[in-house]
């Protein structure tokens, strides 16, 4: 007999099914609890709520494990190209050489964006945040491809939308960067691989067709994109699923995910980390002062890049990125005093009882900004790079939600407002 859980409410017992994941994780299925008992469960921030079953990513926050489709993140980051990992996340299996080639070719044939989209930049005020621009641009793709408005169209057509998104995202990210500098756009070069093409569109110049990004930069960027590719039911992936559950189209669902990622408690933390490290440096480099601020309950300051909802031991992505930051800075000959501040802050925090007791460790965003900065990206642009990496994960979460025929996301609430009262017309108030 399959396992069940019993819940006792007002002297009555209710039996609920237990779901077991492929790694032995357990969940009580409470979907029928209300119809059985009249009770709902409440869990602000979904700290203890499984919103779905999923076959994409497994993570164990206590052991610091992260796997996509069964493969360890360390193996993927050390051995794969970003598109190889994207294929895995999107399709469930690592591609053969032929499958990967076909996937790459397919993407490279859709990298151009409609010229009309360039006009949008004229409407954005100077200095607009790149994440606001990215969300708007991705949302506007749904206007250029109206067939995509129907999420129930044939799978072949959905696959075309997925390829379009994967292909146009780097072009759009590079357009945002170039426009922020006031430089002419560098068009996609489809003979280049995904990462090199993106760097070429960002740092190449129209006047210099021979520009080639440093292989160290290409490798670092490839690894960073892989490390961000998916992270199961995080805030932005959940947003993509929630928006998609109303049968909103893929472009607008992804645009919503980008907006969720922008927040400083999620992907926006990478920008905040760099700004925090700069502030510490400009304030004389006293890391202890900032540790004390973070511990002070009357001070809203948090140590950005520390803590995680799920990881309570270490973030495996942060471990890989920390090593990569050392390598990249050494190979590029960059001597960034910010790295020393970051290391000092990490050591001080890891030895501080407050951070130890609350299990607050550096997360993926703590060191990634240092690498992005060494690669030449401005601080405000860091979260765009997170979004570029996270795209296959968001798409895959959307596809899984759709294929599993998940119902529209519509949580309940416990009302705590005013009791019923008599209406008083305006002239009598
Ligand atoms: N600095 C100081 N105290 C912290 C921090 C921090 N960075 N993070 C958590 N705490 C404290 C918090 O005050 C709380 O203390 P208490 O129990 O006394 O009220 C306790 O630790 C638990 O924190 P929480 O906010 O209840 O935990 P959460 O799971 O709701 O939030 C988090 C997780 C990532 C939003 C949070 O740790 C945080 O704000 N970190 C800084 C922002 C950051 O780096 N975000 C990037 C996350 S990783 C990238 C991604 O996938 O988004």
């Amino acid at each position: 007999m399959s396992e069940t859980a019993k819940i006792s409410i007002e002297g009555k017992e209710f039996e609920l099914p237990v779901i077991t994941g492929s790694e032995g994780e357990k969940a009580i299925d409470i979907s029928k609890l209300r119809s059985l008992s009249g009770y709902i469960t409440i869990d602000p921030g979904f700290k203890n709520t499984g919103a779905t079953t999923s076959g994409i990513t497994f993570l164990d926050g206590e052991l610091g494990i992260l796997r996509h489709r069964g493969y360890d993140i360390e193996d993927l980051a050390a051995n794969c190209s970003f598109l190889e990992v994207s294929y895995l996340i999107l399709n469930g299996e690592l591609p053969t050489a032929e499958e990967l080639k076909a996937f790459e070719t397919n993407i490279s044939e859709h990298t151009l964006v409609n010229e009309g989209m360039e006009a949008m930049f004229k409407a954005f005020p100077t200095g607009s945040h790149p994440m606001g621009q990215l969300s708007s641009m991705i949302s506007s793709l749904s206007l250029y491809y109206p067939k995509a408005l129907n999420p129930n169209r044939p799978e072949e057509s959905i696959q075309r939308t997925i390829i379009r998104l994967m292909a146009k995202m780097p072009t759009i990210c590079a357009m945002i960067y170039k426009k922020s500098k006031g430089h002419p756009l560098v068009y996609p070069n489809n003979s280049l691989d995904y990462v090199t093409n993106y760097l070429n569109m960002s740092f190449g110049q129209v006047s210099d067709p021979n520009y080639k990004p440093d292989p160290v930069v290409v490798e670092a960027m490839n690894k960073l994109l892989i490390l961000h590719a998916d992270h199961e039911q995080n805030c932005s992936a959940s947003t993509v699923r929630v928006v998609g559950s109303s049968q909103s189209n893929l472009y607008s669902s992804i645009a919503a995910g980008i907006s969720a990622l922008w927040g400083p408690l999620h992907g926006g933390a990478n920008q905040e980390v760099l700004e925090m490290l700069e502030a510490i440096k400009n304030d004389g480099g006293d890391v202890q002062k900032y540790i004390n601020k973070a511990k002070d309950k009357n001070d809203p300051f948090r140590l950005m890049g520390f803590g995680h909802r799920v990881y309570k031991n270490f973030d495996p992505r942060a471990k890989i990125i920390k090593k990569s930051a050392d390598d990249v800075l050494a190979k590029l000959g960059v001597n960034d005093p910010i790295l020393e501040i970051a290391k000092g802050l990490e050591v001080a925090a890891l030895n501080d009882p407050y951070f130890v007791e609350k299990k607050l460790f550096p997360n993926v965003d703590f060191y990634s900004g240092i690498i992005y900065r060494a690669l030449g990206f401005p601080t405000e642009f860091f979260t765009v790079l997170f979004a570029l990496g996270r795209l296959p994960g968001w798409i895959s979460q959307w596809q899984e939600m759709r294929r599993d025929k998940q119902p529209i996301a519509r949580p309940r609430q416990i009302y705590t407002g005013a009791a019923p009262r008599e209406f008083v017309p305006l002239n009598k108030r």
Side-chain angles (χ1 to χ4, degrees):
M1 211 193 114
S2 44
E3 201 180 341
T4 57
K6 288 198 181 96
I7 176 166
S8 169
I9 305 172
E10 295 172 1
K12 269 198 191 156
E13 215 164 65
F14 302 94
E15 200 162 357
L16 300 167
V18 165
I19 296 178
T20 305
S22 48
E23 294 288 337
E25 329 97 278
K26 302 274 187 187
I28 301 167
D29 177 355
I30 52 101
S31 53
K32 300 264 181 330
L33 181 64
R34 185 170 175 278
S35 57
L36 292 172
S37 69
Y39 278 67
I40 62 164
T41 56
I42 195 151
D43 182 20
F46 313 124
K47 288 195 175 197
N48 197 49
T49 293
T52 185
T53 55
S54 176
I56 305 168
T57 292
F58 171 72
L59 71 87
D60 182 323
E62 271 70 39
L63 297 178
I65 293 172
L66 172 60
R67 295 189 204 118
H68 298 312
R69 307 283 191 188
Y71 296 102
D72 210 281
I73 188 65
E74 270 152 47
D75 291 332
L76 297 174
N79 298 299
C80 294
S81 71
F82 174 61
L83 282 194
E84 206 176 338
V85 174
S86 300
Y87 184 100
L88 169 73
I89 287 175
L90 290 168
N91 300 297
E93 297 295 334
L94 282 169
T96 61
E98 270 164 29
E99 286 165 341
L100 181 59
K101 185 87 208 117
F103 185 57
E104 289 168 345
T105 307
N106 205 354
I107 286 178
S108 71
E109 283 167 359
H110 291 275
T111 49
L112 280 173
V113 298
N114 190 295
E115 287 284 298
M117 288 184 76
E118 198 182 340
M120 285 178 68
F121 289 101
K122 288 212 173 80
F124 295 141
T126 310
S128 300
H129 196 285
M131 285 296 277
Q133 296 187 49
L134 182 62
S135 172
S136 310
M137 301 287 283
I138 295 297
S139 185
S140 77
L141 283 176
S142 59
L143 312 177
Y144 287 93
Y145 300 100
K147 273 194 195 148
L149 298 185
N150 173 13
N152 298 317
R153 62 201 193 284
E155 186 61 33
E156 192 191 325
S157 172
I158 289 190
Q159 287 300 327
R160 200 165 316 121
T161 302
I162 292 174
I163 293 293
R164 281 202 176 110
L165 253 175
M166 288 294 298
K168 294 181 198 310
M169 180 85 163
T171 311
I172 290 171
C173 292
M175 282 169 91
I176 295 169
Y177 177 68
K178 283 291 193 201
K179 288 289 176 186
S180 74
K181 301 197 83 95
H183 291 175
L185 299 178
V186 173
Y187 277 41
N189 176 343
N190 297 344
S191 67
L192 300 175
D193 67 79
Y194 194 81
V195 175
T196 309
N197 184 38
Y198 170 62
L199 291 168
N200 188 50
M201 289 187 288
S202 303
F203 298 125
Q205 303 291 341
V206 178
S207 54
D208 178 11
N210 296 322
Y211 165 81
K212 264 209 165 104
D214 188 327
V216 174
V217 174
V218 177
E219 195 193 318
M221 192 70 214
N222 182 60
K223 198 171 274 188
L224 281 163
L225 293 179
I226 292 173
L227 291 174
H228 287 92
D230 189 56
H231 213 234
E232 49 116 303
Q233 306 313 312
N234 55 82
C235 177
S236 56
S238 301
T239 301
V240 170
R241 278 180 177 261
V242 168
V243 173
S245 77
S246 74
Q247 304 204 346
S248 189
N249 67 84
L250 180 57
Y251 295 120
S252 53
S253 304
I254 299 295
I258 292 169
S259 299
L261 186 76
W262 188 0
L265 297 188
H266 191 9
N270 58 14
Q271 172 181 340
E272 300 274 330
V273 169
L274 232 288
E275 286 169 359
M276 174 188 77
L277 295 173
E278 282 282 3
I280 298 175
K281 188 181 112 210
N282 295 338
D283 195 20
D286 182 359
V287 293
Q288 194 54 46
K289 179 173 164 188
Y290 285 81
I291 299 255
N292 294 342
K293 266 168 80 63
K295 284 158 49 176
D296 181 354
K297 286 280 165 219
N298 298 318
D299 189 328
F301 176 77
R302 281 193 164 198
L303 217 49
M304 298 313 285
F306 269 76
H308 198 274
R309 170 62 61 79
V310 183
Y311 292 124
K312 298 297 171 199
N313 185 341
F314 66 94
D315 179 340
R317 303 165 302 171
K319 222 168 137 188
I320 301 171
I321 288 184
K322 184 182 178 184
K323 176 156 187 334
S324 192
D326 277 333
D327 291 353
V328 171
L329 266 59
K331 281 187 198 159
L332 293 177
V334 175
N335 186 6
D336 193 340
I338 288 288
L339 184 62
E340 289 317 308
I341 304 240
K343 284 184 174 167
L345 196 62
E346 181 183 350
V347 171
L350 292 183
N351 288 304
D352 188 293
Y354 174 95
F355 288 87
V356 174
E357 271 159 33
K358 293 189 188 299
K359 301 191 167 147
L360 301 170
F361 297 86
N363 58 49
V364 69
D365 290 323
F366 192 65
Y367 282 104
S368 62
I370 292 172
I371 309 184
Y372 293 142
R373 187 162 118 127
L375 303 190
F377 289 102
T379 314
E380 270 211 330
F381 206 76
F382 293 175
T383 317
V384 168
L385 300 165
F386 191 149
L388 182 58
R390 183 55 54 89
L391 184 62
W394 286 331
I395 298 173
S396 190
Q397 298 284 347
W398 185 89
Q399 272 281 67
E400 193 176 65
M401 177 276 308
R402 201 181 58 84
R403 284 182 176 150
D404 289 352
K405 300 200 180 346
Q406 293 225 335
I408 184 167
R410 203 304 185 185
R412 289 187 176 265
Q413 64 162 24
I414 295 294
Y415 175 69
T416 56
R421 40 189 168 160
E422 207 170 306
F423 176 73
V424 183
L426 187 59
N427 60 0
K428 301 238 169 90
R429 266 175 248 156

